[in-house]
Amino acid sequence: MMINNKLSIGIALFRDDRSANFAIQSAMAQSDNCNEIIISDNNAGRSSNLIDDWRKDSRVKYINGNGNIGLYKSFVRAYDNSKNRYFCWLSDDDFLHPILADAVTECILSNFDQDVLAWAGLSTVHSNNHCSRLTGR
C-alpha cells in the first residue's frame, strides 16, 4: 500500500562490492524526501560486513535473493517491496546526484496533473572516483 509522497529507491545488485557501495552511498546521501532504499541482491556471496554497514541506515531494506534471478526480476522485487508513492530505479554501477530526491518530488508535486519522467543526465566516474559530466543539466 502506497502511503505518502516520498520517494523509494530500488537498487538491483549483482556486481562487485565497490561499485555497489558507491551506488548505495549515493542513495543514502538523499534528503528526507527519500525515506526508503530497497536493495535487491543477486549475489549470495556478498560480504556480510558490507551488508551490515548498509543496514545501519534505517531507510535500508535489504533483500537477498540467494542467487541470480536476473536484473528485471530483481528490480520488480525491489518495486514490489516499496511502500512509497514514487519509485526510482538505480543500477548498482550508477549513482544519484545528492539533490535528486528533492528535485524529482518537487517536480512531480508541482506538475501533479501531468506525467513526469525525470532524467538526471550522464556522467562518467573515473577510477579515482572523479566524475565528469557528459550530458544533462
Side-chain angles (χ1 to χ4, degrees), residues 31-66:
S31 72
D32 290 339
N33 279 327
C34 169
N35 67 350
E36 183 179 52
I37 301 163
I38 303 132
I39 300 171
S40 178
D41 198 349
N42 285 312
N43 183 350
R46 191 170 309 280
S47 162
S48 61
N49 291 338
L50 193 56
I51 295 165
D52 291 342
D53 285 346
W54 297 335
R55 286 181 169 164
K56 288 177 184 174
D57 188 312
S58 63
R59 298 174 294 168
V60 171
K61 183 187 298 183
Y62 179 81
I63 305 165
N64 186 338
N66 294 318

Side-chain angles (χ1 to χ4, degrees), residues 9 13 15 27 33 36 41 54 63 82 95 111 115 118 120 131:
I9 298 174
L13 295 186
R15 293 183 175 81
N33 279 327
E36 183 179 52
D41 198 349
W54 297 335
I63 305 165
S82 66
F95 64 97
N111 296 288
D115 293 334
C131 299

Side-chain angles (χ1 to χ4, degrees), residues 31-113:
S31 72
D32 290 339
N33 279 327
C34 169
N35 67 350
E36 183 179 52
I37 301 163
I38 303 132
I39 300 171
S40 178
D41 198 349
N42 285 312
N43 183 350
R46 191 170 309 280
S47 162
S48 61
N49 291 338
L50 193 56
I51 295 165
D52 291 342
D53 285 346
W54 297 335
R55 286 181 169 164
K56 288 177 184 174
D57 188 312
S58 63
R59 298 174 294 168
V60 171
K61 183 187 298 183
Y62 179 81
I63 305 165
N64 186 338
N66 294 318
N68 185 1
I69 61 171
L71 183 62
Y72 172 77
K73 287 182 180 179
S74 189
F75 274 129
V76 169
R77 180 172 58 194
Y79 176 79
D80 287 345
N81 281 277
S82 66
K83 67 180 182 196
N84 292 330
R85 184 169 189 159
Y86 305 114
F87 187 85
C88 171
W89 280 302
L90 177 63
S91 181
D92 66 356
D93 61 351
D94 291 335
F95 64 97
L96 301 173
H97 190 280
I99 65 164
L100 179 110
D102 288 338
V104 168
T105 52
E106 179 183 330
C107 180
I108 291 170
L109 294 174
S110 64
N111 296 288
F112 200 73
D113 60 336

